């Protein structure tokens, strides 16, 4: 691979500069993304068209000096393949036609065949791997079982997660049944992504931080641990680095590291240096600039990049990223300022 800095940093090997990629790096803040989405018809049509999904995956790499590509897809493709009927409305967000709210609905769920209902995702992976031609690694991903369950039970985006949290306290066994089948589905899905050619995996536990610490250890963390174990015991799985990202989960970093993951994604509420001091070098850290800092002028963005790099100190085993996805109204030129500043300010040795 021409540029394997991202994989080297995840493994704790020396790097010449801190690698950087951006959550939601392909997306609406890029005019070329909006044009390709319009050509596809809709967001879901875009996900289901391997050539166009490949095109939007590559778009940010043409503009910015990024050290990794991330598969263009969505975490909600898995529950959609489980029969929930996903739609995405502009300004409303994702919706499921058939949310999961009782035992009958949980019992009816099966584990989708990644090369069946989800074949379009694997086709996209194979197309992107060919197009990348060993230039940079490709990251595959899935949602965490808990985060997927929030959408499956609520039926869409939620402010307070009332229905799914009520299920956790009223019918914990039912929620565990749901999380179990979702974890099986995600495990199969991620193994298939590895077989199709992704170089690394990330699990997005976007709503883990909405749980109390006991509930997090009961309803989110064990299912992510199961997924790490499933992936690591599969062919090629032991050499595929896995990043777990629980938004708002910095205070639980020790417990997250104990799953055997290779890296922990942190949002901007955590100090990379403090988490590093607590955990040592045994795990990589990813993050964690505030996505809103990209509203600032270039000089302020450079100062913020320098502050994130200074926080982690020696810069070892660090993958630079935002603490959550890039926002749709960010100026792409500001993203370029960030990416270039990361490389320039973290350069080590001869460069
Ligand atoms: O990071 C990347 O560039 C890869 C692509 C990617 C998307 N979604 C594309 C997308 C990834 C990794 C995701 C993950 C995802 N999807 C998460 C976890 C990460 C996070 O951001 O917290 C979640 C919670 C979702 C669910 C989801 N998908 C929501 C709530 C929405 C609507 C809100 C929004 O931002 O529009 C989506 C749609 C979505 N997923 C878009 C993109 C580019 C926007 C769709 C459009 O083009 O209109």
């Amino acid at each position: 691979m021409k540029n394997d800095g991202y994989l080297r940093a995840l493994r704790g090997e020396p790097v010449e500069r801190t690698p950087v990629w951006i959550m939601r790096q392909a997306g609406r803040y890029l005019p070329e993304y909006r044009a390709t989405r319009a050509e596809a018809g809709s967001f879901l049509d875009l996900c289901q068209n391997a050539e166009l999904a490949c095109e939007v995956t590559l778009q940010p790499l043409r503009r910015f000096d990024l050290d990794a590509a991330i598969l263009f897809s969505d975490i909600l493709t898995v529950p959609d393949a489980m029969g929930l009927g996903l739609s995405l409305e502009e300004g409303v967000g994702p919706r499921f036609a058939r949310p999961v709210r009782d035992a009958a609905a949980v019992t009816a769920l099966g584990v989708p065949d990644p090369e069946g209902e989800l074949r379009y995702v694997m086709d996209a992976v194979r197309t992107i791997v060919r197009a990348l031609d060993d230039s940079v690694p490709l990251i595959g991903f899935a949602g965490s079982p808990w985060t997927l369950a929030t959408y499956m039970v609520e039926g869409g985006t939620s402010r307070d997660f009332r229905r799914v949290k009520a299920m956790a306290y009223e019918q914990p066994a039912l929620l565990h049944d749901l999380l179990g089948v979702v974890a099986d589905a995600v495990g199969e899905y991620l193994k298939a992504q590895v077989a199709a050619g992704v170089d690394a995996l990330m699990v997005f536990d976007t709503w883990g931080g909405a749980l109390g610490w006991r509930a997090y250890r009961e309803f989110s963390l064990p299912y992510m641990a199961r997924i790490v174990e499933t992936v690591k015991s599969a062919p090629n799985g032991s050499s595929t680095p896995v990043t777990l990202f629980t938004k708002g989960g910095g205070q639980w970093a020790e417990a997250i590291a104990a799953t055997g993951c290779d890296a922990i994604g942190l949002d901007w509420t955590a100090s990379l240096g403090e988490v590093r001091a607590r955990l040592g070098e045994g795990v990589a850290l990813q993050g964690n600039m505030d996505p809103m800092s990209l509203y600032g002028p270039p000089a302020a963005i450079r100062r913020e990049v320098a502050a994130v790099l200074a926080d982690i100190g020696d810069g070892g085993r660090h993958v630079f990223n935002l603490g959550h996805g890039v926002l749709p109204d960010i100026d792409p030129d500001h993203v370029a300022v960030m990416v270039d500043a990361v490389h320039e300010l973290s350069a080590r040795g001869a460069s």
Side-chain angles (χ1 to χ4, degrees):
M1 180 143 331
K2 248 173 263 148
N3 173 2
D4 65 350
Y6 167 72
L7 297 173
R8 296 178 62 83
L10 288 178
R11 295 189 206 112
E13 295 166 8
V15 289
E16 283 160 24
R17 55 187 203 177
T18 299
V20 51
W21 70 280
I22 305 159
M23 287 189 266
R24 294 282 182 97
Q25 64 192 21
R28 284 163 298 183
Y29 73 110
L30 294 177
E32 59 269 36
Y33 167 83
R34 296 196 297 269
T36 308
R37 189 185 62 178
E39 189 191 325
S42 72
F43 171 71
L44 290 177
D45 291 327
L46 180 52
C47 291
Q48 289 167 8
N49 180 317
E51 293 303 324
L52 295 182
C54 176
E55 165 59 21
V56 294
T57 298
L58 300 182
Q59 283 170 351
L61 298 155
R62 295 190 191 116
R63 267 188 194 252
F64 316 119
D65 188 15
L66 295 163
D67 296 291
I70 179 162
L71 163 68
F72 187 81
S73 190
D74 198 83
I75 62 167
L76 301 178
T77 56
V78 170
D80 184 46
M82 294 170 95
L84 274 65
L86 174 64
S87 61
L88 255 145
E89 278 164 68
E90 189 81 45
V92 182
R95 279 225 184 290
F96 285 119
R98 292 171 290 281
V100 176
R101 294 191 179 147
D102 55 31
V106 173
T107 308
L109 295 171
V111 173
D113 174 4
E115 290 288 357
E117 298 93 322
L118 289 161
R119 185 178 191 98
Y120 65 91
V121 179
M122 305 308 145
D123 287 340
V125 170
R126 288 183 279 262
T127 305
I128 297 162
V129 167
R130 264 196 309 277
L132 284 174
D133 194 22
D134 260 350
S135 51
V136 291
L138 177 63
I139 304 167
F141 70 88
S144 76
W146 161 255
T147 291
L148 292 177
T150 68
Y151 289 98
M152 295 171 80
V153 173
E154 301 291 338
T157 300
S158 168
R159 185 184 292 274
D160 55 13
F161 307 102
R162 195 173 294 227
R163 286 177 195 272
V164 68
K165 289 181 100 173
M167 190 187 279
Y169 293 105
E170 283 173 3
Q171 298 175 277
L174 181 61
L175 181 56
H176 279 297
D177 287 346
L178 171 59
L179 292 166
V181 65
V182 174
D184 289 345
V186 168
E188 292 307 308
Y189 182 62
L190 292 180
K191 280 198 295 187
Q193 290 185 30
V194 173
V198 304
D199 301 289
L201 292 169
M202 174 150 165
V203 178
F204 287 91
D205 187 30
T206 303
W207 304 124
L211 289 166
W213 70 268
R214 274 186 307 278
Y216 177 73
R217 280 164 178 75
E218 178 172 354
F219 297 107
S220 184
L221 194 61
Y223 294 96
M224 290 199 286
R226 199 158 119 189
I227 288 163
V228 172
E229 198 185 309
T230 300
V231 168
K232 293 286 175 184
S233 57
N236 292 332
S238 61
S239 57
T240 306
V242 180
T243 300
L244 299 184
F245 170 61
T246 290
K247 186 163 164 280
Q251 72 274 38
W252 305 323
E254 285 86 348
I256 297 170
T259 61
C261 65
D262 300 273
I264 300 177
L266 293 165
D267 71 20
W268 60 94
T269 61
S271 155
L272 294 177
E274 192 206 288
V275 174
R276 172 62 81 223
R278 276 161 45 201
L279 298 190
E281 294 280 338
V283 69
L285 301 180
Q286 173 182 285
N288 68 344
M289 199 164 106
D290 184 349
M292 301 261 184
S293 65
L294 293 177
Y295 287 123
I301 294 169
R302 285 177 59 87
R303 276 198 303 277
E304 195 62 27
V305 168
V308 171
L309 292 171
D311 184 18
I312 190 141
D314 72 357
R317 221 164 174 185
H318 175 216
V319 173
F320 198 101
N321 205 315
L322 297 174
H324 199 201
V326 61
L327 295 161
D329 60 347
I330 290 296
D331 178 348
D333 291 342
H334 286 200
V335 173
V337 169
M338 179 188 92
V339 170
D340 292 342
V342 172
H343 286 151
E344 187 191 317
L345 300 174
S346 70
R348 316 193 236 296
S351 64

